[in-house]
Amino acid sequence: PPLLALSKQEQTLSIIDPATPHVVARIPVGDDPHEVIASEDGRTAYVSNYGFGAFHTLAVIDLVGQKPLTPIDLGALRGPHGLAFVDRKVWFTAEAAKAIGSYNPATGKIDWIMGTGQNRTHMIYVFPGAKRILTTNVNSATVTILDKTEGPARMPPPGSPPGSPSGMPPPPGAPGAAPHGPPPSPPDGDWNETVIPVGRGSEGFDVSPDGKEAWIANAQDGTISIVSVADKKVAETLQANVKGANRLKFTLDGKLVLVSSLAGPDLAIFDTATRREVKRVKLGRGAAGILMQPDGSRAFVACSPDDYVAVIDLKTLSVAGRIDAGKQPDGLAWAERKP
């Protein structure tokens, strides 16, 4: 599948044949593009126009026609950044609004919004089925886990006083209100939120392929917080020496974790079983976005200060090549067609 790479300075999306590697097309994507994701059918890409809260759009790219489409206006949901495409929807963070939301391409509408109450909700991971969501909140030094509850709305039992015109019971203290009992829940379920303190500058993170752990790189502390997803707490903190960490990604087999840093020249690689550093790979003056090749053989790392994407051979853990994706490359994604 084609590789998608953003250039923040040139404000373009490059469509790249990774085998050559040849840039097939460069398409304008609007102000301050940071992250990119492709739809499940590989025909459309979505790009967050971030601007630290100055902007409120998602750029939309026709990958087949190789042209921009009408952007999605998020309104008051300013500062979109992290992106995911799960369950046929685009999921995004809105940093300035301290919220996350989902956009349904089928209806052309934002169909869900949830506040986090945390500062700089930046990156997002949506589990398969969209029943669990994890975000990192940079300035709050926290991770948020949202779990969706199931079940229809609770209605008053037969024989109870009549409710409001909407069919819901009146508020406590109002005429006809029942003296006790839980409030009604939304008809399609609700969300339970757990906020987990981690380290300062919690930004780049990933969830292990088995879904059991989330590894969070804390840029200011130089540590990695390992969160047990089931227990919803930090199980271990690694003194990883990754100051300025920007992104963290698992290899597809879950055996290694790669951490990029904009504050140093190295890509740090850790063994997930031993929790120990395996190697530091020299890249340049710093790095940002990380993406694994679908067959698990290579990783791609956006070396933003040096204006290229480094290709990492995951067998030898060495640089195997470079790709010109424009100035200040950052967000990376695959336009992989899935059933």
Side-chain angles (χ1 to χ4, degrees), residues 33-193:
H34 272 241
E35 295 296 317
V36 57
I37 198 71
S39 59
E40 290 167 349
D41 61 10
R43 301 177 66 88
T44 310
Y46 300 87
V47 174
S48 54
N49 300 119
Y50 175 50
F52 290 92
F55 307 126
H56 52 91
T57 56
L58 300 180
V60 185
I61 307 300
D62 177 353
L63 295 174
V64 178
Q66 299 177 2
K67 61 183 179 180
L69 302 177
T70 303
I72 301 164
D73 190 340
L74 302 177
L77 298 173
R78 306 185 74 88
H81 191 276
L83 294 173
F85 198 97
V86 176
D87 202 28
R88 299 183 180 181
K89 295 181 182 181
V90 183
W91 303 79
F92 59 91
T93 62
E95 187 178 287
K98 300 183 181 182
I100 59 177
S102 64
Y103 170 82
N104 189 338
T107 62
K109 294 181 179 180
I110 298 169
D111 60 4
W112 178 81
I113 301 169
M114 176 66 67
T116 63
Q118 302 295 296
N119 295 328
R120 289 196 67 200
T121 298
H122 199 67
M123 301 299 291
I124 187 169
Y125 182 95
V126 180
F127 285 73
K131 304 294 185 183
R132 173 173 283 168
I133 300 171
L134 197 152
T135 72
T136 46
N137 311 297
V138 183
N139 288 2
S140 289
T142 60
V143 164
T144 298
I145 296 180
L146 289 164
D147 286 299
K148 189 173 184 181
T149 63
E150 302 293 340
R154 292 188 295 266
M155 300 303 292
S160 63
S164 65
S166 65
M168 304 303 289
H180 301 289
S185 61
D188 59 347
D190 204 347
W191 292 83
N192 290 329
E193 181 178 24

Side-chain angles (χ1 to χ4, degrees), residues 1-6 14 16 18 35-38 206 247-252 258-260 267 287-303 309-314 323 330-336 338:
L3 171 67
L4 308 179
L6 289 176
S14 290
I16 301 166
E35 295 296 317
V36 57
I37 198 71
D206 199 10
R247 296 291 176 264
L248 180 152
K249 289 292 178 183
F250 279 89
T251 53
L252 299 188
L258 278 59
V259 186
S260 63
L267 177 73
I290 305 174
L291 182 69
M292 300 298 161
Q293 188 161 298
D295 65 4
S297 64
R298 300 188 295 179
F300 296 81
V301 183
C303 299
V309 175
V311 183
I312 308 298
D313 185 319
L314 292 175
I323 300 173
D330 190 1
L332 303 169
W334 292 105
E336 186 177 8
K338 300 176 182 178

Side-chain angles (χ1 to χ4, degrees), residues 192-324:
N192 290 329
E193 181 178 24
T194 304
V195 178
I196 305 167
V198 284
R200 295 180 301 160
S202 51
E203 180 177 346
F205 83 98
D206 199 10
V207 174
S208 59
D210 61 11
K212 294 181 179 180
E213 293 182 342
W215 287 44
I216 295 91
N218 306 308
Q220 294 179 40
D221 292 342
T223 60
I224 295 175
S225 298
I226 301 176
V227 172
S228 166
V229 175
D231 297 333
K232 298 188 177 79
K233 64 181 182 181
V234 175
E236 190 174 354
T237 301
L238 307 184
Q239 301 301 317
N241 189 26
V242 285
K243 291 273 189 176
N246 187 259
R247 296 291 176 264
L248 180 152
K249 289 292 178 183
F250 279 89
T251 53
L252 299 188
D253 59 10
K255 293 181 179 180
L256 299 175
V257 158
L258 278 59
V259 186
S260 63
S261 171
L262 284 170
D266 301 330
L267 177 73
I269 303 177
F270 295 86
D271 184 294
T272 58
T274 64
R275 314 303 212 213
R276 294 181 180 274
E277 182 180 310
V278 175
K279 190 175 182 179
R280 299 241 167 180
V281 180
K282 299 290 184 184
L283 293 181
R285 293 177 294 166
I290 305 174
L291 182 69
M292 300 298 161
Q293 188 161 298
D295 65 4
S297 64
R298 300 188 295 179
F300 296 81
V301 183
C303 299
S304 302
D306 297 298
D307 301 333
Y308 60 78
V309 175
V311 183
I312 308 298
D313 185 319
L314 292 175
K315 290 184 179 179
T316 63
L317 300 182
S318 61
V319 177
R322 297 178 178 180
I323 300 173
D324 177 11

